[in-house]
Amino acid sequence: MNAPVPAVSGQPLSGTIVRRPSVCPHDCPSACALEIDVIDGARIGRVYGAEGQTYTAGVICAKVARYAERVHHRERLLHPLRRVGPKGSGQFERISWDEALDRVAEGFLAAERDFGAQSVWPYHYAGTMGLVMRDGIKRLAHAKGYSRFFSTICINTSWPGFIAGTGRLAGPDPREMAKADCVVIWGTNAVATQVNVMTHAVRARKERGAKIVVIDIYDNATVKQADMGLVLRPGTDGALACAVMHVLFRDGLADRDFLARFSDCPDELEQHLKTRTPAWAAAITGLSEAEIEAFARLVGTTKRTFFRLGYGFSRQRNGAVNMHAASCIATVIGAWQYEGGGAFHNNGAIYHWRKSLIEGLDVVDGTTRQLDQSKIGRILTGDPDALLGGPPVKALLVQSTNPASVAPEQGLVKQGFARDDLFTVVHEQFMTETAMRADIVLPATMFMEHDDIYAGGGHQYIALGLKLIEPPGECRSNHEVISGIAGRVGATHRGFDMSPREIIDWTLQNSGWGNLAELEEKRYIDCQPSFDEAHYVRGFAWPDKRFRFKPDWPKVPFANAGPMGPVDSMPALPDHWGVIEEANAAFPFRLATSPARNFLNSTFTETPTSLAREEKPTVMVNPLDAADLGIADGERIGLETERGAIAIAARITDAVRRGVLIAESIWPDDAYEDGRGINHLTGADSPAPFGGAAFHDNRARIRRLVPAAS
């Protein structure tokens, strides 16, 4: 069709538009199926949700709908660069790809020669969720014996918490939210971060009269859409869950027959909960006893209750315990038995991927150390514990992430990146805080400019995202860069000599999902297991087929990782575990760094519309707290934790409770007048049972600042 095309900037464009399928690549459980207007085969226009994929159901978030702002942004990196000024100065000169890759190889080989292969650390994450582009960097690490990467920033408190009960990372078909009579959205601001959750929850309300319950730590956009909104203190979700289960047992609302058949110790749980009353929980959570009682009665009398458990409430030092406790409620009421009932967090276990070709698992040396992603600041500053007793990191390859902005303990992170003896290579789309600190910067493709395959953690689809347009300038894909480095450093593996399409085809075939040609024709593979499997009708995924109220935490299957953090003190049964950074006299507030609607971690912070809508970094302060401190709305204040301090604008709002502070999103450093972003305040100590990053668990204080000089 021919139609006028909105310009990214400047004058309107026109041309021939062909709508092509794709997949959103970003670090979000939705992995939305997309339809993209491709203009004259060279540019993209509007991005839509694909209606044919029934989880996306034609709905996507606004920031992805305007993706042309990112793809055609005038500040995209287009050519390889070499640093010519001091580290962090932003002084670079353009070089050729051959020179860039030769210099990368020289730096890596020098580190290997002088300090051993484990002094090189490929550091990556989920800037793309495509399997080939995200995980191929592991093949390089495994083929060379470089230090491996232990991913901890996102899932290490949530996934083990869910698996602790069910034995498996899977649950009911998430589309069943639309068939529920009550949808409990717990610990995720879905309106801002998972719009498709709201699609199905609102459908249940319209078609079935379902009630939507939202549990969160501030009165955000999702709470505002709820029939029942419960705003509790950060890190107290376990107490709420226990009090709800207390009421269920007390009032005869527990499904005792289901518990006898499908759980490990219901009598012991009931006895344990006798002291976990609504009054007990009210004192911990800040909720009223009436709110707790009402929530318990709603779910106890509504068999088709779907618990949609998010990531946000697990980002506390007691996050795994909180996740487990929340999932236990579905078992106490027997909700798993019903369509539209049960608990869902992530569907990772249903895909049974064989990723040996993508990741080089056939050449991995399991004795090579795994360095903790969240502890990059400690690692780069030479902490022997963080280095696991091994050599210093002398060379770093960063791909699909921006640790100088998103990792905790930013003071240490930036100190580490400033080392003159650290050779840093960053493969990026924009000049991020991390790229600014690199020795070599390599320009990266975006998802419409390469081939990849995706699976949705928040749903049940495999989907294909093929190359739609040529990349600008000299941008190269992750796969091209990894293969180019491999050839120069002596890494051998057949995956380096294959195209992404060949790797996708092999992976599909060897994972039991057909082949590439079939997926190209079908566009999506619906991997949803049967009702009986998804709802654990024949028993849960433990050998005894019983849901575990009493998990053996160190033995919960997760990432082949050993126990970390204070595992020995984890409660045996669901409880409020008081290991969070409680407020004290010196730091009287609890601070969470929650996501913003128009950014995704540090992505979209460069696009004009997202920047305009978010305006500037702020921290939410309750009006009564602000009055006590004499702070006015919009005033520049100091926000401090035991790890650092930043200057930020106060946003006075009753959306937060007294004693709670919320700073939404990860803004670039230059958005702050002192150049210090929010993660100067967050910690990198390891929560139990398998590490992680407790971004929402910080005791803090605020103070008035002398006005900045004009």
Side-chain angles (χ1 to χ4, degrees), residues 250 362 443:
R250 182 198 70 193
D362 51 338

Side-chain angles (χ1 to χ4, degrees), residues 14-26:
S14 63
T16 301
I17 300 175
V18 178
R19 193 160 294 177
R20 300 280 303 280
S22 190
V23 187
C24 179
H26 288 289

Side-chain angles (χ1 to χ4, degrees), residues 641-686:
T641 69
E642 293 162 345
R643 291 165 287 272
I646 66 172
I648 193 169
R651 178 181 163 197
I652 312 306
T653 172
D654 58 8
V656 292
R657 286 182 167 276
R658 293 210 70 175
V660 174
L661 306 172
I662 302 291
E664 287 187 329
S665 200
I666 303 171
W667 284 81
D669 287 347
D670 61 11
Y672 298 85
E673 66 176 61
D674 56 3
R676 293 197 298 269
I678 195 66
N679 278 315
H680 280 80
L681 309 182
T682 55
D685 51 300
S686 295

Side-chain angles (χ1 to χ4, degrees), residues 17 281 336 404 488 612 616 619 634 642 692:
I17 300 175
W336 299 97
R488 287 169 167 81
K616 64 181 179 181
V619 60
E642 293 162 345

Side-chain angles (χ1 to χ4, degrees), residues 333-410:
I333 63 174
W336 299 97
Q337 302 167 89
Y338 307 99
E339 186 177 37
F344 181 89
H345 173 58
N346 183 287
N347 244 346
I350 73 172
Y351 296 110
H352 47 77
W353 289 115
R354 284 196 62 196
K355 296 171 70 176
S356 56
L357 183 58
I358 292 175
E359 298 185 7
L361 297 176
D362 51 338
V363 295
V364 65
D365 179 354
T367 66
T368 303
R369 68 181 177 182
Q370 283 186 288
L371 296 179
D372 188 334
Q373 170 190 27
S374 299
K375 290 184 168 60
I376 182 173
R378 301 181 189 189
I379 289 164
L380 295 186
T381 53
D383 183 314
D385 291 334
L387 288 165
L388 304 178
V393 169
K394 304 293 286 187
L396 192 68
L397 170 61
V398 180
Q399 204 173 58
S400 301
T401 189
N402 181 17
S405 183
V406 305
E409 296 183 346
Q410 281 294 295

Side-chain angles (χ1 to χ4, degrees), residues 189-441:
N189 184 4
V191 168
T193 64
Q194 292 188 65
V195 64
N196 309 101
V197 169
M198 299 307 299
T199 297
H200 299 286
V202 170
R203 180 181 170 191
R205 179 158 60 190
K206 289 180 178 178
E207 295 181 0
R208 302 179 59 85
K211 299 298 184 185
I212 299 176
V213 180
V214 178
I215 302 168
D216 217 307
I217 57 174
Y218 67 118
D219 188 10
N220 55 40
T222 310
V223 174
K224 293 183 187 303
Q225 290 201 21
D227 299 292
M228 179 184 293
L230 302 176
V231 177
L232 41 60
R233 294 184 182 123
T236 65
D237 305 80
L240 171 60
C242 286
V244 168
M245 290 187 285
H246 168 96
V247 173
L248 296 173
F249 279 111
R250 182 198 70 193
D251 293 354
L253 299 173
D255 189 330
R256 294 185 182 276
D257 178 64
F258 183 83
L259 290 169
R261 289 186 293 131
F262 291 108
S263 70
D264 60 345
C265 58
D267 294 339
E268 187 176 354
L269 175 67
E270 182 177 9
Q271 184 62 35
H272 164 73
L273 293 172
K274 284 188 180 296
T275 59
R276 274 60 175 179
T277 64
W280 167 84
I284 295 169
T285 63
L287 298 169
S288 68
E289 291 181 53
E291 287 177 302
I292 297 169
E293 293 272 4
F295 176 43
R297 179 153 293 277
L298 174 62
V299 300
T301 57
T302 310
K303 293 299 185 183
R304 294 178 186 266
T305 293
F306 194 106
F307 290 84
R308 182 59 175 84
L309 306 176
Y311 287 86
F313 78 111
S314 73
R315 294 198 171 114
Q316 305 277 340
R317 288 168 178 82
N318 60 3
V321 170
N322 292 343
M323 175 66 74
H324 174 248
S327 73
C328 288
I329 302 174
T331 302
V332 171
I333 63 174
W336 299 97
Q337 302 167 89
Y338 307 99
E339 186 177 37
F344 181 89
H345 173 58
N346 183 287
N347 244 346
I350 73 172
Y351 296 110
H352 47 77
W353 289 115
R354 284 196 62 196
K355 296 171 70 176
S356 56
L357 183 58
I358 292 175
E359 298 185 7
L361 297 176
D362 51 338
V363 295
V364 65
D365 179 354
T367 66
T368 303
R369 68 181 177 182
Q370 283 186 288
L371 296 179
D372 188 334
Q373 170 190 27
S374 299
K375 290 184 168 60
I376 182 173
R378 301 181 189 189
I379 289 164
L380 295 186
T381 53
D383 183 314
D385 291 334
L387 288 165
L388 304 178
V393 169
K394 304 293 286 187
L396 192 68
L397 170 61
V398 180
Q399 204 173 58
S400 301
T401 189
N402 181 17
S405 183
V406 305
E409 296 183 346
Q410 281 294 295
L412 289 178
V413 175
K414 291 174 180 176
Q415 182 182 334
F417 271 108
R419 283 171 37 203
D420 287 331
D421 66 332
L422 176 69
F423 177 67
T424 302
V425 181
V426 176
H427 185 206
E428 251 298 354
Q429 297 162 348
F430 292 92
M431 187 59 74
T432 64
E433 288 81 359
T434 307
M436 284 282 288
R437 291 166 167 81
D439 297 287
I440 299 292
V441 177

Side-chain angles (χ1 to χ4, degrees), residues 582-666:
E582 292 282 12
N584 57 27
F587 294 89
F589 293 93
R590 293 270 292 143
L591 167 67
T593 58
S594 301
R597 186 166 190 166
N598 293 285
F599 298 156
L600 199 165
N601 300 322
S602 67
T603 305
F604 298 99
T605 58
E606 68 287 317
T607 55
T609 304
S610 288
L611 285 169
R613 292 182 179 182
E614 294 298 333
E615 296 183 352
K616 64 181 179 181
T618 62
V619 60
M620 300 181 193
V621 184
N622 181 274
L624 297 176
D625 289 328
D628 288 346
L629 294 166
I631 292 170
D633 187 51
E635 182 177 346
R636 170 178 167 269
I637 61 172
L639 177 59
E640 303 176 3
T641 69
E642 293 162 345
R643 291 165 287 272
I646 66 172
I648 193 169
R651 178 181 163 197
I652 312 306
T653 172
D654 58 8
V656 292
R657 286 182 167 276
R658 293 210 70 175
V660 174
L661 306 172
I662 302 291
E664 287 187 329
S665 200
I666 303 171

